Amino acid sequence: MKTRSIQSAVVGLMWSTQSTVQGLPNIRHWCNQEDKLPRYTWLAHDGTHFGEQEIMDQTFILRTGFVKRSGGEHGGDWTASIRALPYGKKEDTNKKLLVSLLFYVALDGQGFIKEKLNKHGQMIGIEGETRELGHFRLTFTKSSALQYNFLSTWSPGLHVLLETVIKNMGVFQLHKASQRYFGVIGRNLPEGQPEVNFIAYQVTFQLPYELEIVFESGSNTRHPNSLTGSIFADEFKKYYKEFDQKFERVFGLKAKGYTEDEVIKAKSILSNMIGGLGYFYGKSTVQSRFNVEPVKYWHAALYTGVPSRSFFPRGFLWDEGFHNLLISQWDAQISKEIIGHWLDLINIEGWIPREQILGQEARAKVPDQFIVQHNTNANPPTFFLPLQKLLKDMIASNNEQDKQYLKNLFPRLKAWYSWYNATQHGKSPFTYKWRGRKDNDLHQINPLTLTSGLDDYPRASHPTDDERHVDLYCWMVLASNIMSDIAKELGETHVEYESTYKILSNNNLLDNIHWSNKSHSYADFGLHSDKIVLVKPPLPKNAQPGQPVTKQDKIRLVQKEAKKQFVNSFGYVSLFPFFLLIVEPNSPKLEKILLDLNNTKLLWTRYGLRSLAKTAPLYRKHNTEHDPPYWRGQIWINMNYLAIRALNYYANIPGPYQNHAQYLYKVLRERIVQLVLVEFLRTGYVWENYDDVTGEGQGSHPFTGWSGLVVLIMAEKYD
């Protein structure tokens, strides 16, 4: 946990089972998929006052909970409860396990902390002071631990706290027992480091076990009581009850007939989205066309959700728009702050880096090739999706603060929108083209379009300036419409936005630019060949018989010359005019789209809509010898959300295809809800995407970023 402030003090938890026979214990700290835990999830989190989390390790369960109480000048007090419980078929045996918890406080560049010891040299608390927290004290309540240790030292950074602990461990013997265990070694400052910036409190015990940590702010002089024991329990129950009531009030799942177990899972999914919110601070590394080498941007702070705490624990631009469709339904104020933070990252040109790698902790999880952000490259402007509802609500509220928020937001949105039109336009009028595709990578069948968010989805096989991307065209239709609405509300000039919207949303123009008469679907256009394969490269000309040859990766071979044409691979990209509600309700094109949706040879499966049709040449194909398919058949929840939202829209508008849309809406909605909930029950996780043949979860997990949109699908909230 940390405050939403620059260089915040951080509190956290590590744990391990003890066995000196096997050597140094495997200490858990960061969320890692490699740990292969059966499950870890927030059970409830309201975003402000309380939360409860369950972490299921191989032999025991950790239940952590917290309650925050406001007061004073620095945010107030909080108490965290940690319970360790045995479970499983060997529950009685597991009670004899020796387990250690390490609760720590670490500084990130300013302030001080010091340990508080009793007369026996045992640590009973921590005192400290930082700019944001003022003076504070942490107290550890009495517990039934077998042994207590502490570490007071200096760590080079928050990203190496685990390494700092391991470096400061020794072997100890349990009091009044022959068993040995690994423990931290007390006060141990490296030479030349006079200041302590990391303190850990270790308890070693047998199951079950419970500990409370009480944080009290020095400026909160009116403590009505200590937030421990029964007082903590009562406050925890109160907030839990309020959480349950608000959840039903907002989403109404019980009223819709969902079972108690299904509602519990939905609460957990929402809570993982809220509990995964983070506050990051650091500098982006940016490559500009004006610089020979990448440069560091200014120090910036970002309050944001993350797609996956285990695999993507940082902010992604297009993900965050989807995240806030759910967050804004739960707490509009949180969404407003998140969107404001992202738009504060805008540079003088109007560009926002699509991936935010701010600070050492975020950097530690990112491969080197993804560190540098290129300021020619965009990402879908998905913030316009949640802004649709937020704008309606702010207009309806007639609140002066909301109007001021829009006034502050509008210049940034204006610059952002202008940047897209200035840098992402196509060669022909009213066309758009994603930048960032490489035309010289011999190892990719189809050059990636990372900027679109749909990474390996098939585009024109030979990137050129003549490309036209239908999904980006549609994002600009949405952006133009919302910009026009905001400008009108603020009394700003709106003609440019309204005119652009009217031009781009004209179905005749859309059809002329992006409708393929060959595939009878919307499509990208560019220099393209479907006949490309990966082959082993030829042997070097100077290779001698019997001479060992260095293994080389396969390279692409173009078997049929590329020509300018539509990319007739049907999939998610083909549906964007439908996804973003641009196709007219009376258009025959809508009838064709609905028929294609329901075609099992294309996208329709028993689990949901796959990303690429079975008839497409690259369906489930690797893009390189080593890169498995990603957007080439898998079922993605964010795109299915857009499809369900669109079906609901067309199902409620009079037109010749209304009944067909109603039928597809009902079936697809049920399938997506069951897909996510069944896999959650089977595996303990919500997944990044799902196999279109088996329905099994795939990719990173837990992925309660945009896969969390299943809660909105259950609640039928699409506005």
Side-chain angles (χ1 to χ4, degrees), residues 297-312:
Y297 263 27
W298 62 90
H299 275 104
L302 179 63
Y303 179 47
T304 184
V306 300
S308 170
R309 286 194 291 160
S310 64
F311 203 77
F312 298 112

Side-chain angles (χ1 to χ4, degrees), residues 52-285:
E52 183 181 33
Q53 181 178 215
E54 182 177 83
I55 303 168
M56 188 177 288
D57 210 320
Q58 305 299 336
T59 51
F60 63 94
I61 293 174
L62 282 178
R63 281 266 178 90
T64 68
F66 75 90
V67 169
K68 182 181 176 183
R69 185 164 60 186
S70 299
E73 300 173 2
H74 299 91
D77 307 334
W78 54 260
T79 293
S81 168
I82 305 169
R83 288 182 292 159
L85 307 167
Y87 86 97
K89 295 179 180 178
K90 298 181 180 180
E91 186 171 321
D92 290 337
T93 303
N94 291 341
K95 287 181 180 179
K96 298 177 183 178
L97 284 173
L98 199 61
V99 178
S100 288
L101 297 178
L102 292 97
F103 183 89
Y104 66 80
V105 179
L107 299 178
D108 189 20
Q110 52 92 15
F112 80 89
I113 49 175
K114 64 180 180 180
E115 68 275 14
K116 289 178 63 180
L117 308 179
N118 64 14
K119 62 182 180 180
H120 304 295
Q122 177 184 324
M123 190 165 79
I124 56 174
I126 299 171
E127 286 188 357
E129 186 172 337
T130 68
R131 283 193 300 265
E132 299 82 6
L133 296 175
H135 185 268
F136 63 86
R137 62 180 177 273
L138 277 161
T139 305
F140 306 107
T141 59
K142 291 182 179 179
S143 68
S144 58
L146 300 175
Q147 204 73 37
Y148 300 89
N149 294 70
F150 78 91
L151 174 65
S152 184
T153 188
W154 179 86
S155 176
L158 299 180
H159 61 302
V160 289
L161 297 182
L162 176 59
E163 291 79 358
T164 301
V165 165
I166 291 172
K167 195 164 117 179
N168 286 277
M169 280 195 133
V171 178
F172 295 80
Q173 187 164 322
L174 285 178
H175 183 59
K176 296 182 180 179
S178 59
Q179 189 170 354
R180 297 185 173 213
Y181 72 97
F182 284 93
V184 287
I185 58 176
R187 189 173 180 87
N188 186 33
L189 277 171
E191 187 176 348
Q193 294 294 341
E195 299 293 334
V196 169
N197 69 357
F198 179 55
I199 298 177
Y201 174 69
Q202 178 180 346
V203 287
T204 302
F205 54 86
Q206 289 181 323
L207 305 169
Y209 177 79
E210 184 169 359
L211 173 68
E212 287 181 349
I213 301 104
V214 183
F215 175 96
E216 292 179 315
S217 171
S219 66
N220 188 12
T221 57
R222 296 183 179 179
H223 302 285
N225 43 45
S226 184
L227 196 57
T228 60
S230 61
I231 296 170
F232 169 80
D234 289 344
E235 287 289 290
F236 190 81
K237 289 176 185 176
K238 180 190 80 171
Y239 283 121
Y240 223 127
K241 183 179 179 180
E242 291 176 359
F243 171 82
D244 288 341
Q245 291 172 339
K246 180 178 178 181
F247 187 88
E248 181 60 22
R249 189 168 65 250
V250 172
F251 300 110
L253 300 191
K254 288 182 181 178
K256 288 184 174 293
Y258 284 102
T259 66
E260 183 179 354
D261 185 61
E262 289 170 333
V263 174
I264 288 172
K265 286 184 173 60
K267 289 176 182 175
S268 176
I269 292 169
L270 168 73
S271 298
N272 274 284
M273 176 80 83
I274 301 298
L277 294 175
Y279 188 89
F280 302 88
Y281 181 72
K283 294 182 176 183
S284 290
T285 304

Side-chain angles (χ1 to χ4, degrees), residues 378-381 419-421 423-426 431-435 451-452 459 468-479 504 514 524 573 576 580 582:
N379 219 199
W419 179 85
Y420 277 93
N421 276 301
T423 66
Q424 306 299 301
H425 59 79
T431 64
Y432 292 89
K433 169 183 173 291
W434 296 112
R435 269 49 174 187
T451 48
S452 73
R459 308 282 183 163
R468 306 197 295 258
H469 295 132
V470 63
D471 51 336
L472 180 52
Y473 178 104
C474 295
W475 285 120
M476 295 311 296
V477 175
L478 173 69
L504 294 180
H514 283 295
D524 288 345
V573 163
F576 263 85
L580 297 184
I582 301 167

